[in-house]
Amino acid sequence: MFQLFYEGGWLGMSILTVELIGLLFAAWKAPAWVKEIGLLALITGIAYTLFGFRQAMHAIQLAGDISPTLLAGGARVACIPILYGLMIYVVSLLIRMFQKPRI
């Protein structure tokens, strides 16, 4: 688990973790904000992934020819923050679903 956190990039994964903690706190204190915080985490994960792809493409441009194995490994690592953000969004939807009043 910590290996994925480290591979995903400490800055983006830390921001996403703070948003997860905020989501859990909002579920307790401000239930109306749960879905919005989850959506913010999803957007943060997408943005951090796009920034990672931009940096990777710049490095590829500077290096010239690279192996497909190296490219596939970079794409795998770049997908970690978006998956973490998506998991946080799913948790927010589940919390929101259980908090809604029953008919």
Side-chain angles (χ1 to χ4, degrees), residues 15-48:
I15 292 170
L16 287 169
T17 302
V18 167
E19 289 172 351
L20 176 63
I21 292 168
L23 171 78
L24 297 175
F25 184 73
W28 178 46
K29 285 288 190 179
W33 286 75
V34 169
K35 188 176 177 183
E36 287 78 7
I37 294 173
L39 189 59
L40 178 66
L42 178 62
I43 292 170
T44 303
I46 291 170
Y48 195 73

Side-chain angles (χ1 to χ4, degrees), residues 14-103:
S14 297
I15 292 170
L16 287 169
T17 302
V18 167
E19 289 172 351
L20 176 63
I21 292 168
L23 171 78
L24 297 175
F25 184 73
W28 178 46
K29 285 288 190 179
W33 286 75
V34 169
K35 188 176 177 183
E36 287 78 7
I37 294 173
L39 189 59
L40 178 66
L42 178 62
I43 292 170
T44 303
I46 291 170
Y48 195 73
T49 298
L50 291 176
F51 288 137
F53 274 130
R54 182 188 172 281
Q55 289 176 341
M57 293 304 132
H58 181 69
I60 291 170
Q61 182 183 12
L62 292 177
D65 190 28
I66 62 163
S67 70
T69 307
L70 186 63
L71 187 62
R76 182 190 64 84
V77 168
C79 289
I80 293 172
I82 197 169
L83 290 174
Y84 190 36
L86 184 63
M87 287 190 318
I88 293 171
Y89 182 63
V90 168
V91 167
S92 77
L93 291 178
L94 289 173
I95 290 172
R96 181 80 182 238
M97 186 172 51
F98 287 119
Q99 284 182 340
K100 283 194 172 188
R102 291 171 178 55
I103 298 176

